[in-house]
Amino acid sequence: MENRKKEEFYRRIHPVFGIEEKKKAAAYCMENWPEETAHVIKTAKEACCNTFLFDFPWDMERTYEPVTFEKEIDWSLIPFGDREFLWQFNRHRFLLCLGQAYHLTGDEQYAFHYVRLMRDWMERVEPGEAIDLGPWRTLETGIRAENWLRSLALVEESESISDGFIEEVELCLETHGERLLEHFKEHKYISNWGVIESSGLLLLSLIMPEGNEKKNEYERAALKRLEQAAAIQVLADGTQWEQSPMYHNEVYHCFLNAYYYGTRGRLVLPEIIGETVRKMAFVNGTWIKPDHTQFAQGDSDVSDLRDQITAGAIVLKDPVLKFWGYEKADYESAWQFGMDECETYDAMKKKEPSFMSAELPFSGNYYLRSGWGEDDNLLHFHCGETGGGHGHADKLHVDLVINGEDVLVDSGRYTYVDGPDRFAFKEPGGHNVSLVDGELFSRCETSWIYKELCTCLKQQYHEGHSGAYVEGSHMGYLDRGVLVNRKIIWIKPDVYILVDDFYGTGMHTFKSLYHFSRSGKVSCGENEILFEGNKTKAFIQFPHKDETLELYVTEQSCHYNEKSENKTCRAVSTAEGFYSRIAVINGGPKETAEPAQVESIGLWSVIHEKTLDRKDAEALKIVAEGKEYILFLAHREVLTPTDILQYENCLGYGKAVLFDRSEEKEQVVTGEILAW
């Protein structure tokens, strides 16, 4: 009769959430992932002493100061004035650490404290009515469902798990399910909350006894909500609409859980769930940086993407995903999928993607990539919707990685607490954008709400043979009579031209911001900026030579609750009517990189036999790495009734035409049209 309740419970939980050969998984992790293993054991030891620190890579709101409870635990504690601690605390990530440490060390204390902490929480934390404020907030309820079910499967052998404990757990899991079932609102179809909650509800349905009237109700509701959310909030290009790689991956993780555990639970899943997992996994590969991290776009940390991609490769058995993932299955995969799946992954041959540069046209994110190596270059351009509360005012923002090192960066997120810090990181001033008359094109009202939004106009994207082109505009200054436009021309592999055009009337002051990685030193000369990083040197030159450059101190945050100083330069000009600012960027290894030779030159109209006004069209001569390039830039239409533009032996027409005349200086060179 003893432990009959426990045995019956684990007959339901083990087939879905259990992994075989836990000792083998522990040995695999100790051999292949010693740092991650040590981190988990440290976290588990601290939890045994009621000390909590949230410093795992995908903890949504990291902390840097541990909190210790000397007596009883206050599960509703809000230290540092940040309610995010309360919510991160009540997701119970530490329970997975305790369950894993139990097998990594063989020490019963970890299972004992697992039971102690869960029991304390179940007995002392009431659901109450403050659904969006306390430990029972529905987002945490959904996340906790996964952490409880996966960790419970790890401690089934422990003598600390009793029938009485399991009875308490089952009652509390029912409360979780009812809360998730009853408190779903229609706006959550487009929110990461809706997917996180619905995934948790689906996982709960999988361990309920057959014949329980709630099992089918939970399952039907969860699958319907996930199906609708996939159709509404995951765009056709695979990005989650909130313009934050961090929350893209939270949603992706939940869809992957629904797909993986739902399949193990023998559910018939809507086809869109598997399709969504694949699309979102490939987006991670599309935007992964040479150092394997994601951009700090919107409310995002600079997190390593390989574990997320590896999970997708394991579940989908996809060799292209493995190309972006780890060579061997990672620590988390060993405990989530078990050793059989990890060994299958380890034996899988990876396949190089069929693309390097790419556009995600629905979200308005563009990636110009020189290669897949750790020393390659990558430019990211954003011209899309703001992305709700987690999106930043980053219209026409550019990130730039040269030689595998961040050069131009997004400032990050730092905090969700209302106030100057939140606004500084979220508003336009925290991004590589242009400002008119010192005004912001979007301003925050609260941590989550903007006083006004700014509409983008997506334009052309084209990848050619010798170069690539992308362009976008926004209407944030139409009330001041100015349309802001940014053209980006990439001369492969390592020259970038940023053209900021301001179309308007009257006198205005135009500023373009360039935020540099805190890993480097920045200095300004006359019409040029020098960045010297750990291994990279980069140069920004302004060929018009009419810019005032101002270098000042700002802050960069790579993780929540963390920030430090970096340098930002603003290029400032005052002009009447149309104005075009051109910045030419190149760079490479610190020891060998030299600035490109850049010259602004006039364009000749063959029919009208005159040099065109620079406000209409102009050209650049760029000499870099032994190559000589001529770039035609047309700022407005000038071809009437019929004409062709010329610089010496370069003849052509288009919004952007690139000529390589490194060899031929006399015969006509027609060039490559990058934009028309």
Side-chain angles (χ1 to χ4, degrees), residues 290-291 373-377 401-407 519-520 531-538 587-593:
D291 65 358
E374 293 184 344
D375 295 327
D376 275 304
N377 304 336
V401 180
I402 293 178
N403 189 39
E405 184 171 5
D406 287 330
V407 176
S519 68
F531 170 85
E532 295 182 274
N534 293 322
K535 64 174 185 176
T536 302
K537 191 180 288 186
K590 207 169 182 178
E591 301 77 15
T592 58

Side-chain angles (χ1 to χ4, degrees), residues 509-571:
T509 297
F510 306 111
K511 297 180 182 178
S512 295
L513 307 182
Y514 307 90
H515 291 259
F516 291 92
S517 169
R518 63 189 179 188
S519 68
K521 297 178 181 179
V522 184
S523 57
C524 286
E526 188 174 352
N527 298 301
E528 61 184 16
I529 307 169
L530 170 63
F531 170 85
E532 295 182 274
N534 293 322
K535 64 174 185 176
T536 302
K537 191 180 288 186
F539 313 89
I540 303 182
Q541 301 180 67
F542 299 89
H544 289 164
K545 304 190 184 305
D546 55 2
E547 307 289 350
T548 298
L549 302 182
E550 302 170 352
L551 191 64
Y552 57 106
V553 175
T554 47
E555 291 179 313
Q556 181 184 357
S557 170
C558 291
H559 300 96
Y560 194 86
N561 277 329
E562 174 276 329
K563 63 177 180 175
S564 60
E565 288 186 355
N566 70 332
K567 292 291 183 65
T568 297
C569 186
R570 54 184 165 232

Side-chain angles (χ1 to χ4, degrees), residues 102-327:
Y102 173 64
H103 294 284
L104 289 164
T105 66
D107 192 335
E108 179 65 24
Q109 71 157 328
Y110 295 110
F112 171 82
H113 287 287
Y114 178 96
V115 172
R116 176 184 67 83
L117 289 165
M118 275 191 74
R119 187 165 258 155
D120 185 75
W121 192 91
M122 290 187 291
E123 292 175 353
R124 295 181 52 244
V125 178
E126 295 292 333
E129 296 303 320
I131 191 166
D132 290 329
L133 294 177
W136 276 97
R137 191 175 71 152
T138 50
L139 184 73
E140 280 60 59
T141 304
I143 294 172
R144 204 161 48 238
E146 176 194 349
N147 288 335
W148 278 29
L149 294 172
R150 285 183 56 198
S151 62
L152 281 163
L154 292 173
V155 294
E156 62 179 301
E157 297 96 340
S158 170
E159 61 188 29
S160 297
I161 307 297
S162 65
D163 274 5
F165 174 69
I166 292 300
E167 287 178 1
E168 290 181 66
V169 168
E170 288 209 273
L171 285 172
C172 197
L173 288 175
E174 288 179 17
T175 304
H176 279 68
E178 289 303 300
R179 200 161 187 83
L180 294 172
L181 182 69
E182 294 173 2
H183 292 281
F184 189 88
K185 305 295 183 183
E186 287 188 347
H187 73 271
K188 292 181 179 179
Y189 281 122
I190 200 170
S191 168
N192 63 79
W193 282 46
V195 178
I196 292 170
E197 292 176 21
S198 301
S199 172
L201 183 61
L202 183 68
L203 301 191
L204 290 170
S205 77
L206 297 174
I207 56 96
M208 298 182 76
E210 293 296 333
N212 186 312
E213 62 181 18
K214 287 293 184 181
K215 180 181 179 68
N216 290 337
E217 186 178 3
Y218 287 6
E219 179 188 314
R220 285 195 301 270
L223 289 178
K224 186 65 175 177
R225 293 170 185 176
L226 287 168
E227 183 179 18
Q228 300 285 22
I232 291 172
Q233 68 176 268
V234 180
L235 307 178
D237 58 22
T239 50
Q240 199 265 354
W241 79 281
E242 291 181 272
Q243 298 289 12
S244 162
M246 188 85 179
Y247 287 90
H248 172 97
N249 276 292
E250 290 300 327
V251 170
Y252 160 69
H253 172 78
C254 290
F255 274 120
L256 185 140
N257 277 348
Y259 181 75
Y260 175 69
Y261 291 118
T263 300
R264 290 192 73 176
R266 300 182 179 180
L267 297 186
V268 177
L269 299 170
E271 189 174 319
I272 194 173
I273 292 180
E275 293 172 351
T276 298
V277 173
R278 183 175 297 278
K279 287 196 303 184
M280 297 187 81
F282 270 81
V283 165
N284 274 333
T286 299
W287 64 29
I288 193 169
K289 290 162 56 181
D291 65 358
H292 313 291
T293 65
Q294 63 189 7
F295 288 106
Q297 180 181 359
D299 282 340
S300 296
D301 290 344
V302 181
S303 303
D304 194 313
L305 288 169
R306 284 175 291 183
D307 57 350
Q308 299 289 336
I309 298 173
T310 297
I314 289 173
V315 170
L316 300 173
K317 304 293 187 291
D318 193 301
V320 176
L321 290 175
K322 182 173 181 180
F323 179 87
W324 294 311
Y326 285 111
E327 287 290 333

Side-chain angles (χ1 to χ4, degrees), residues 329-435:
D330 61 289
Y331 178 93
E332 291 298 333
S333 292
W335 292 107
Q336 181 169 13
F337 306 117
M339 289 312 302
D340 285 349
E341 294 281 19
C342 290
E343 288 169 359
T344 299
Y345 175 84
D346 292 352
M348 184 192 305
K349 292 184 178 179
K350 60 186 178 182
K351 181 180 178 182
E352 185 168 341
S354 60
F355 65 92
M356 285 189 290
S357 296
E359 64 172 332
L360 299 173
F362 278 77
S363 64
N365 288 287
Y366 305 85
Y367 303 89
L368 307 181
R369 186 186 301 272
S370 67
W372 292 112
E374 293 184 344
D375 295 327
D376 275 304
N377 304 336
L378 175 62
L379 181 143
H380 164 231
F381 175 59
H382 179 227
C383 179
E385 297 292 305
T386 300
H390 285 299
H392 287 196
D394 58 355
K395 299 301 172 76
L396 312 188
H397 167 83
V398 168
D399 298 283
L400 181 59
V401 180
I402 293 178
N403 189 39
E405 184 171 5
D406 287 330
V407 176
L408 295 177
V409 298
D410 188 304
S411 294
R413 59 172 176 159
Y414 179 57
T415 185
Y416 290 162
V417 178
D418 261 327
D421 279 336
R422 174 62 165 160
F423 297 173
F425 283 93
K426 193 173 185 181
E427 289 180 332
H431 305 89
N432 300 317
V433 299
S434 294
L435 307 177

